[in-house]
Amino acid sequence: MTHHREALRVHVTHRGHCSVLEVGGHLDFITGPTFTGHVEANWELSAGPRLVLELSQLTFYDSTALGILAYTRQRVHATATGRLVLVGLPTGLRHLLHRTGLLPRFVLGDSVEQAVADLLS
């Protein structure tokens, strides 16, 4: 039996002083370092930093994804002006964040455009 793993895809755009990371595929213990590398690479490119994570195209995630999101949130909030918005949160990931008590700690956006507008206001 062959097990097909879908690679992690991260598309980054910059809108004003805001970095948007559109994430798809698998976010797990194997691809986690790649995702974290993208966050690190864009950390200084947005004021604060101001990050929007668009997650609607994630097809698989495990507890590593929870840890990465929690760590990213903690790092952003440790800065004086950093902000983080999650957009397109898959239902299953939303459920995991809820069950672990993490969901209320995140700002959720309805769309990338609205999240960017909020972060730039």
Side-chain angles (χ1 to χ4, degrees), residues 42-65:
N42 289 280
W43 190 261
E44 300 298 330
L45 297 178
S46 61
R50 295 180 186 213
L51 303 173
V52 175
L53 303 182
E54 204 298 331
L55 306 172
S56 67
Q57 297 302 308
L58 282 178
T59 56
F60 179 83
Y61 34 84
D62 63 9
S63 60
T64 303

Side-chain angles (χ1 to χ4, degrees), residues 7 34 39 51:
T34 301
V39 171
L51 303 173

